[in-house]
Amino acid sequence: MQETNQTNSDLYEIPPDQLKNAHSKKIVAGICGILLGGLGVHKFYLGYITPGIIMVLITLITPWFTCGFGAIVMGIIGLIEGILYLTKSDKDFYETYILNSKGWF
């Protein structure tokens, strides 16, 4: 019996229109993550409402208690996620964030 190392992405072909849509979403979400990451705009854009609300609440509410530390952390997370979005291939972005709905990193 022969063992194969195929992943799910090797078993099906992603339609070109979905890859084009993933590319445009990747660019917009990446830029929003880098510029407005602390507010979770990139999460809302990708349809991740709960993670977006968590980021907004931490950014807007925790400065009262942590002297802005929560907002800084959310900004860094947004920056990292924006960079991750932009460095992934369109196919990887589609599989990870659109098809599998991975909400964080």
Side-chain angles (χ1 to χ4, degrees):
M1 196 166 159
Q2 197 175 34
E3 187 177 325
T4 60
N5 289 332
Q6 289 183 333
T7 61
N8 288 340
S9 64
D10 295 335
L11 301 176
Y12 64 91
E13 187 67 28
I14 301 170
D17 61 329
Q18 289 183 353
L19 275 180
K20 185 177 180 181
N21 185 30
H23 176 74
S24 63
K25 281 191 171 204
K26 176 179 86 166
I27 300 299
V28 173
I31 292 171
C32 286
I34 291 170
L35 298 178
L36 301 169
L39 296 174
V41 174
H42 60 294
K43 299 286 190 187
F44 289 112
Y45 182 74
L46 292 175
Y48 303 140
I49 304 303
T50 303
I53 290 172
I54 290 170
M55 289 186 82
V56 167
L57 290 177
I58 290 174
T59 299
L60 297 179
I61 293 175
T62 61
W64 297 95
F65 308 107
T66 63
C67 297
F69 182 71
I72 292 170
V73 170
M74 288 298 108
I76 292 170
I77 289 173
L79 176 68
I80 291 169
E81 287 182 333
I83 292 170
L84 285 175
Y85 294 164
L86 293 174
T87 57
K88 286 191 176 287
S89 70
D90 294 342
K91 185 175 181 181
D92 287 342
F93 181 84
Y94 176 80
E95 290 172 352
T96 305
Y97 300 106
I98 297 174
L99 192 62
N100 295 327
S101 299
K102 183 178 178 185
W104 296 97
F105 292 103

